[in-house]
Amino acid sequence: MSTGSGADSAPAPTTHDSPPGTPGGAGTSPRKASMFSSLSVRNYRLFFLGQVVSNIGTWMQRIAQDWLVLSLTGSATAVGITTALQFLPMLLFGLYGGVLVDRLPKRRALLFTQSAMALTGIVLAALTLSGHVEVWHVYVVAFAVGLATVVDNPARQSFVSEMVGPDQLQNAVSLNSANFQSARLVGPAVAGLMITGVGTGWAFLANGLSFVAPIAGLLLMRPRELHVVERAPRGKGQLREGLHYVAGRPDLIWTIVLVGFIGTFGFNFPVYLSAFADDVFHAGAGSYSLFNTLMAVGSLAGALLAARRGTARMRVMIAAAVAFGAMEIVASLAPSLWLFALLMAPIGMFGMTINVTANTSIQMGTDPAMRGRVMALYMMVFLGGSPVGAPIAGWVTDAYGVRAGLAVGGVISAAAAVTVGLVLARVGNLRLSVGWNHGHPRVRFVPRERREELATVA
């Protein structure tokens, strides 16, 4: 699962005082918190523990679903279609989900969406264990999960700071990401054992039952301890209002653009990793789960590093995006299974750095009354790109090989990062500065005025 916000007051003034679009300016207060400080809040602790269980089930279902589709069809394109159907509702209805989240009590909305996703896991388990499952059943279930996600994702995004408040938001966002990636270490490994041992149906059943934990956590929360947020009243033009708000903020819109390119073309791992395991290295489900597990190791490291970091700077996000694209290109050329597997760790670390930095900077830079709509747009672009990118990745993989597909994703990700970095530098009136600091190279953006001042002094 992902992270969230929704505080009772506006973000720290430093966010809005920074020049819009400044790569080093968008972010949080420079104060560093302890790595697990937000867990001192009871309501968030209940939420966090519930997500630990549910996230493990979610990862089990992801692995089992991809492998089931590949087993039924033998086609990477079919895996891509399944991924696309799961994220298509976010692309079609994501903005409307954000409008609903800004109007609804988020705790009640989450109780509904988590229950709906539990039901989809149980239905798919029944079909698979009974031996009646067909690929179109998986397509329908994936689309149903996507419909629940339309409300669930922005609701969870917006709910976290209602639990912890604005001061703990950066830490809570990072810990939620660490939670998700920790489950990614356990879920794929358990899924691999269950698939090879008893079959995919039991993995689906485990996911359905795992939602008992977050539902119980939501029911046990103390509503009086939540940070009160004034909900948006019903009214016309709220969707358009949210879009105009983002359009007037270069720091928000260009972050969303970058995340959109990377989410559409770089994060198609269900297509890439299953094809590498099956077609390139001729290995089984165990190798596929190994790839996901090692990527989770890197992602967990990236999330924990973000939890210790006191700021969410755009230059960090851009540098991580360039490195992410470069590592995908290198991985596409890996000659052996073990080298490819080891490269999953840095890919996961850089990918998580992009995710956490973008998520935190957008949440801290957005007014609370707009957060549901802005985070819905962010998630719509990030997750909604899969209906476009996953079939393209599957087609390139089937037509030209998975190595070409992964390399193309890496090239597009790196090129988008460089382009957005240059645009943000121009918007923020910055220039690239390359120099040395205590014997080490240092690359950063600095205001253009400094160059003019130096020329005047000279």
Side-chain angles (χ1 to χ4, degrees):
M1 300 298 178
S2 46
T3 55
S5 82
D8 58 331
S9 60
T14 54
T15 301
H16 295 293
D17 292 343
S18 301
T22 302
T28 62
S29 166
R31 178 180 62 83
K32 288 188 178 182
S34 99
M35 185 176 288
F36 303 102
S37 59
S38 56
L39 290 177
S40 63
V41 180
R42 180 183 182 275
N43 283 342
Y44 178 69
R45 190 163 59 248
L46 288 169
F47 177 85
F48 183 89
L49 293 174
Q51 294 300 304
V52 168
V53 179
S54 179
N55 286 337
I56 291 173
T58 297
W59 275 109
M60 291 175 64
Q61 175 145 329
R62 284 191 179 188
I63 300 301
Q65 177 178 281
D66 295 340
W67 200 257
L68 175 62
V69 171
L70 195 64
S71 300
L72 291 172
T73 66
S75 169
T77 301
V79 177
I81 291 172
T82 307
T83 303
L85 286 171
Q86 187 160 330
F87 295 119
L88 181 61
M90 180 64 70
L91 180 63
L92 297 177
F93 312 117
L95 292 176
Y96 296 99
V99 172
L100 286 174
V101 167
D102 279 338
R103 294 176 181 174
L104 298 173
K106 296 173 183 62
R107 180 165 161 265
R108 293 180 187 175
L110 286 171
L111 283 169
F112 175 79
T113 58
Q114 296 281 290
S115 299
M117 288 190 284
L119 182 61
T120 62
I122 292 171
V123 168
L124 190 55
L127 288 169
T128 306
L129 292 173
S130 66
H132 293 97
V133 69
E134 298 180 20
V135 69
W136 71 267
H137 293 142
V138 185
Y139 289 165
V140 171
V141 168
F143 188 77
V145 171
L147 286 175
T149 302
V150 167
V151 174
D152 187 79
N153 261 333
R156 281 185 291 106
Q157 296 285 339
S158 303
F159 190 51
V160 169
S161 80
E162 289 191 20
M163 292 183 281
V164 304
D167 292 341
Q168 298 276 20
L169 180 58
Q170 160 106 6
N171 184 260
V173 167
S174 301
L175 287 184
N176 278 359
S177 298
N179 183 337
F180 190 57
Q181 299 307 323
S182 297
R184 192 175 176 183
L185 292 172
V186 179
V190 176
L193 292 174
M194 293 187 76
I195 291 170
T196 55
V198 295
T200 56
W202 294 101
F204 298 138
L205 180 61
N207 177 54
L209 296 177
S210 72
F211 283 96
V212 172
I215 291 171
L218 289 166
L219 292 172
L220 290 171
M221 286 183 183
R222 297 170 181 163
R224 66 181 181 277
E225 295 180 5
L226 295 173
H227 293 253
V228 178
V229 175
E230 184 178 352
R231 296 198 299 271
R234 289 180 176 270
K236 294 182 178 180
Q238 290 179 320
L239 178 58
R240 186 169 58 251
E241 181 186 12
L243 293 174
H244 285 168
Y245 177 83
V246 174
R249 293 285 305 279
D251 55 328
L252 299 181
I253 194 168
W254 285 108
T255 298
I256 292 173
V257 167
L258 175 58
V259 165
F261 270 98
I262 292 177
T264 301
F265 299 104
F267 272 69
N268 291 302
F269 295 113
V271 177
Y272 298 140
L273 299 189
S274 59
F276 263 97
D278 191 46
D279 299 334
V280 176
F281 301 120
H282 308 291
S287 294
Y288 178 48
S289 64
L290 173 66
F291 297 157
N292 282 278
T293 300
L294 289 175
M295 185 177 291
V297 171
S299 298
L300 178 60
L304 292 176
L305 288 172
R308 292 182 61 88
R309 217 167 24 235
T311 57
R313 298 186 180 276
M314 287 190 182
R315 66 168 176 251
V316 173
M317 179 184 68
I318 291 167
V322 172
F324 173 83
M327 292 306 299
E328 283 199 332
I329 296 170
V330 172
S332 72
L333 304 173
S336 68
L337 184 150
W338 287 107
L339 179 57
F340 179 84
L342 290 175
L343 287 170
M344 293 301 100
I347 287 175
M349 184 180 70
F350 291 127
M352 181 51 57
T353 301
I354 299 165
N355 188 11
V356 172
T357 307
N359 192 311
T360 306
S361 64
I362 287 176
Q363 290 197 53
M364 294 303 293
T366 302
D367 292 332
M370 288 284 182
R371 237 175 235 152
R373 280 163 282 183
V374 173
M375 292 311 299
L377 177 62
Y378 168 78
M379 297 306 298
M380 184 191 76
V381 171
F382 182 53
L383 299 179
S386 292
V388 177
I392 293 174
W395 175 78
V396 173
T397 295
D398 285 340
Y400 302 100
V402 66
R403 292 188 184 276
L406 184 58
V408 168
V411 169
I412 293 176
S413 298
V418 171
T419 302
V420 170
L422 293 175
V423 169
L424 288 176
R426 184 176 182 83
V427 169
N429 196 30
L430 303 175
R431 66 178 179 85
L432 185 66
S433 173
V434 180
W436 291 84
N437 182 32
H438 301 295
H440 298 285
R442 180 173 63 176
V443 179
R444 59 178 180 156
F445 288 100
V446 298
R448 292 183 182 275
E449 288 73 16
R450 291 185 60 182
R451 181 173 60 183
E452 296 173 0
E453 292 172 3
L454 290 174
T456 302
V457 172

